[in-house]
Amino acid sequence: MRRLIFGVLAGGALIGLTGCGSNNDDDASQPPQQAAQSALVCDDSIKTAFKPDTDTAVLTVKSFRKGDALLLSGAATATTPVATNDVCFVKLNVGPGNAGPAGAPSTSAGIGIEVWLPTAANWNNRIRVKGGGGWAGGTHALATAVASAGTNTTTAAGVAMTEGAVSASTDTGHAVGSGAFAMNPDGTINTVLWRDFSERGIHEMAVKTKALTRAYYGRDARYAYWDGFSTGGRQGHKEAQANPADFDGILAGAPAFNWTKFITGELYPQTVFQRNLAGVNLTTGQLNLMSNGAIDACGSVGGVKLGYIPDPAQCIYDPRRDVAVLCPGQAGIGVTGASTSADCVNLAQAAAMNKIWYGQTGDGSAPDPASDNGHGVSPAPNQKWYGLTRGTSMLGLAGASPFPIATDMVALELQNPRLATPAFLNATGNGADGWKGLGYADLANASDRGVALQPRFADINTDDPDLSAFRARGGKMIMYHGLADTLIPPQGSINYYNRVAVQMGGIQSIQGFYRFYLVPGMAHGFSNGTANPAANPPLPTLDQLYAALTDWVEKGTAPAALTATAPATATFGQKTRPLCVYPQKAVYTSGDPNLASSYTCS
C-alpha cells in the first residue's frame, strides 16, 4: 500500500511524502530500504528544517562514517569509541529550562537530548532509547561534546550502530552530576528542574525522537522501546505511569523508584557507624568477612556451595552467633570459642551489621534475624526502608565514604546544603559533611520529609501502582533486579510489583503485560554483586532480556523462564540457572545444583 506520509519541517509545517505505512499499517513491517527518501539529510540543514515546536532547537548535526572517532572536538585517543556503522548524530535542546545566575547548578538552558539515526538501509524500524543513571545529568546540551558514545547496546550510539534502531539519551535538564541542580540559589526547592528530571525530560526525549525519526526516514517507527537500568528503570516506570502512549515496550532494570525512601536509607549504614560505633566504620575485611559468613551459611543447594545466596529472603544468618567471625573473647549468643579469622568483629560490630542488613528504622533498632530478617513484602512498622541483602558486597554504601546521592537527597529533603558532601554546591553554602551529625530520628525525619515533599519533587518516588492506562494501550514491560544489588535493595521492586498486583486484580492479571525476574548474585549491573569474588553467579545479558521484550511486543510471545549463564572459571565450571517469572522460584529437584536442568520453576 502506498500512502501519504508527513515529515516535520521548519516552523512545524508538514510536507507530503510518498512511502510505506507507519505504525499499525499492514505494510509497516517492510524493510527500511523500501521506505521513502529521507525528508531530511544528515547535515546542518536539519538545524532549520526540524522545528517540531518553539521550545526545541537543533544544536549539532554530525554524520559519522564507519571508522570515524565518535567525538565532536579535540583529538581521538586510544579509548575514544569508533563508529562501527554509518550513523547520523543530532543534538537537541528543549526549553524553557530554568533561569538563574551563570554557573549555578540550578541554572539550565533546557533539556539536552542526543539522537542517533542509522542509515535508511540499516534501520530496523524500531526506536530504542536509553535511560540514565544516578542524577542523570550530562553534556547532552553541550554542542562540542558527545555524551552517549559507545559501541555496544548499553549506549545510544551502540544501539544505533549495532542493532540498527534509532536511539537517544537525555540529561533530563541539567549538566551537573550531583543533586545540587534541584536546589535554587536561595536554598529552596527547584520545582522546575525536579519536573524535568522526574518526568518531562524523558517524555520530551520520547516525543522528539519519534518526530525526528518521522522527519528523517519519511515514516514512523513500527515499534518504540524504553531500555533503562537504575535511574533508567525508574524512568521507564514513570513513562508507563505518566505517559503510557510513549512506548510499546519497556525494559526496566533495578529501578530506582521509591526514590526518596531507598536513597535516604542508603545513608543509614553510615549513620549506624556514627551512632553505634563512635564514627569508626567497619573495615573492608570486616564487611567482607560477615557477608561471606552469610554466603557460607545460606549459599548451599543439594549439599553444594554455590558461592552466592540463591534466595536471600530465606537467610537468617546472624554474625553474633558465628564463632568464625567473632574476635577472641567475643563469644556470641549461644556460642563459645574464639575467632579463627585474621579479620574479626566484636559483638557491637556484629550487631551493627544486622542493623544495616535490616534497613533503616526510626530509632536504629533491629529485631533478631530469626524473627524478622527485613524481607517482608511490605516494610515492618518500624522499618523506614529495606537494607541490602545478606551476602552482597557492602562497600558501596558501608565503605569509607557515604554514597553521595544519599547525602545529596538528605540535603534536599531537609533543605540544608551543608548536610551533603563538599561536591554539593549552592549559594547559601556548600556541602560540609553535616550528615555526620544526624541521629536516627533526624534521618527518619528526612525520610518522612521526602515522602511529604513528593508534589514539589515532581513525584520522584515513581511508585504509583496504577498501570491501567499502559495495559489498556497494549504496552508490555519487563522488570528485572539482582538479588545482590549493591545500591538498590531488590525488596523495593518486590514491594512495588505486589502493590501493582493488589491494585490491578492480582499477580496473574498483571502478568499479561508486566513480568518480573529476580537474579541471584547479580550486582547493580550485569556482574557479581556478592562479597565473594569467585562466586561467578549465572547472569542474563541485556540483549537476552531485550529480545524477550521484543518477542512479547512484536510476536505476542510472553516471556517465560530464562536461562542465565556463567562461563567456567578456575573455581567453578560453567554454571547455568533458570530465572523464573516472579513469584515463581527455582526449586532444586536433583542433579548438579549449578545447572539449570536441576531446577523447576514453581
Side-chain angles (χ1 to χ4, degrees):
M1 179 177 89
R2 304 284 286 179
R3 74 179 195 74
L4 193 65
I5 309 293
F6 293 100
V8 184
L9 295 184
L14 301 176
I15 181 170
L17 301 166
T18 327
C20 300
S22 59
N23 284 3
N24 301 317
D25 288 330
D26 292 340
D27 60 352
S29 59
Q30 291 296 313
Q33 58 267 31
Q34 295 183 19
Q37 285 289 323
S38 299
L40 303 176
V41 293
C42 190
D43 59 28
D44 279 353
S45 64
I46 292 180
K47 291 183 177 180
T48 53
F50 183 66
K51 292 288 185 182
D53 55 50
T54 57
D55 283 334
T56 302
V58 178
L59 303 176
T60 304
V61 180
K62 173 72 173 178
S63 176
F64 288 107
R65 301 300 181 189
K66 184 176 180 179
D68 288 349
L70 296 177
L71 79 172
L72 297 177
S73 62
T77 68
T79 59
T80 302
V82 173
T84 58
N85 239 324
D86 295 354
V87 67
C88 184
F89 175 62
V90 180
K91 291 177 76 84
L92 306 173
N93 186 77
V94 181
N98 191 58
S106 60
T107 301
S108 170
I111 298 162
I113 300 169
E114 294 186 348
V115 185
W116 299 81
L117 301 117
T119 64
N122 290 336
W123 186 37
N124 68 1
N125 219 12
R126 292 175 179 161
I127 291 170
R128 178 186 178 186
V129 304
K130 303 294 291 186
W135 286 114
T139 57
H140 299 70
L142 185 62
T144 57
V146 180
S148 53
T151 56
N152 60 40
T153 54
T154 63
T155 66
V159 166
M161 296 183 299
T162 302
E163 181 195 336
V166 173
S167 193
S169 67
T170 177
D171 63 12
T172 64
H174 59 275
V176 298
S178 78
F181 75 91
M183 181 179 284
N184 288 318
D186 64 0
T188 60
I189 295 168
N190 185 347
T191 57
V192 174
L193 291 193
W194 264 115
R195 179 170 176 256
D196 283 356
F197 170 58
S198 176
E199 177 186 341
R200 182 171 173 263
I202 52 180
H203 177 55
E204 288 291 345
M205 176 172 64
V207 172
K208 298 308 186 290
T209 301
K210 288 181 176 181
L212 184 58
T213 297
R214 184 184 311 115
Y216 189 70
Y217 299 106
R219 63 188 175 99
D220 290 307
R222 175 65 171 167
Y223 302 103
Y225 294 99
W226 178 274
D227 176 7
F229 190 93
S230 190
T231 289
R234 183 204 69 79
Q235 292 168 331
H237 280 82
K238 176 63 82 171
E239 281 290 272
Q241 294 165 14
N243 301 294
D246 280 357
F247 293 99
D248 303 297
I250 294 172
L251 184 61
F257 47 29
N258 309 301
W259 179 275
T260 66
K261 298 176 183 178
F262 90 82
I263 290 183
T264 305
E266 285 182 325
L267 188 56
Y268 189 66
Q270 302 293 333
T271 302
V272 171
F273 296 153
Q274 293 294 321
R275 303 280 73 82
N276 285 85
L277 300 181
V280 179
N281 289 30
L282 292 168
T283 67
T284 295
Q286 289 170 330
L287 291 167
N288 289 340
L289 178 71
M290 288 185 278
S291 291
N292 280 302
I295 294 173
D296 190 60
C298 304
S300 295
V301 172
V304 175
K305 293 184 180 297
L306 302 183
Y308 60 93
I309 298 176
D311 187 2
Q314 302 304 312
C315 185
I316 58 172
Y317 171 77
D318 185 347
R320 299 174 304 168
R321 293 181 167 90
D322 186 356
V323 66
V325 306
L326 292 168
C327 295
Q330 290 288 324
I333 302 169
V335 301
T336 59
S339 170
T340 58
S341 172
D343 284 308
C344 62
V345 296
N346 60 34
L347 282 173
Q349 291 169 322
M353 192 68 163
N354 276 341
K355 291 185 178 187
I356 292 169
W357 277 329
Y358 187 71
Q360 183 188 359
T361 60
D363 57 4
S365 62
D368 190 300
S371 61
D372 181 2
N373 67 352
H375 283 261
V377 171
S378 297
N382 194 37
Q383 195 178 20
K384 308 301 290 186
W385 203 244
Y386 306 99
L388 300 184
T389 61
R390 284 168 169 77
T392 296
S393 172
M394 304 300 292
L395 301 182
L397 300 185
S401 302
F403 190 58
I405 296 179
T407 57
D408 287 357
M409 194 66 236
V410 170
L412 292 165
E413 288 165 335
L414 299 179
Q415 296 178 54
N416 181 354
R418 293 171 180 79
L419 296 175
T421 65
F424 191 105
L425 305 178
N426 188 264
T428 63
N430 298 331
D433 287 325
W435 59 269
K436 292 182 179 179
L438 298 176
Y440 290 120
D442 300 315
L443 196 65
N445 178 48
S447 182
D448 293 342
R449 289 283 296 158
V451 174
L453 286 168
Q454 281 305 293
R456 303 196 68 193
F457 288 169
D459 294 313
I460 190 64
N461 280 358
T462 316
D463 56 359
D464 182 355
D466 185 359
L467 301 178
S468 56
F470 184 68
R471 177 171 64 181
R473 62 90 68 202
K476 301 290 188 287
M477 180 156 57
I478 293 176
M479 177 170 65
Y480 60 100
H481 206 142
L483 282 170
D485 193 308
T486 53
L487 295 177
I488 302 180
Q491 304 96 301
S493 291
I494 295 170
N495 170 268
Y496 178 78
Y497 193 79
N498 279 278
R499 289 179 58 235
V500 174
V502 170
Q503 173 81 20
M504 299 183 62
I507 294 284
Q508 186 172 359
S509 174
I510 68 172
Q511 286 190 342
F513 78 100
Y514 183 26
R515 296 200 171 192
F516 176 30
Y517 295 94
L518 289 166
V519 186
M522 189 171 100
H524 195 65
F526 295 93
S527 62
N528 171 26
T530 76
N532 173 16
N536 196 32
L539 303 176
T541 66
L542 176 60
D543 291 341
Q544 179 184 21
L545 291 159
Y546 180 61
L549 178 64
T550 58
D551 282 350
W552 198 8
V553 170
E554 298 174 19
K555 302 175 184 177
T557 306
L562 303 176
T563 300
T565 304
T569 67
T571 306
F572 295 102
Q574 185 185 55
K575 296 181 181 180
T576 57
R577 183 179 181 87
L579 301 180
C580 304
V581 177
Y582 181 89
Q584 290 188 329
K585 294 183 178 182
V587 177
Y588 176 69
T589 54
S590 63
D592 184 348
N594 282 309
L595 296 178
S597 58
S598 302
Y599 297 84
T600 59
C601 289
S602 63

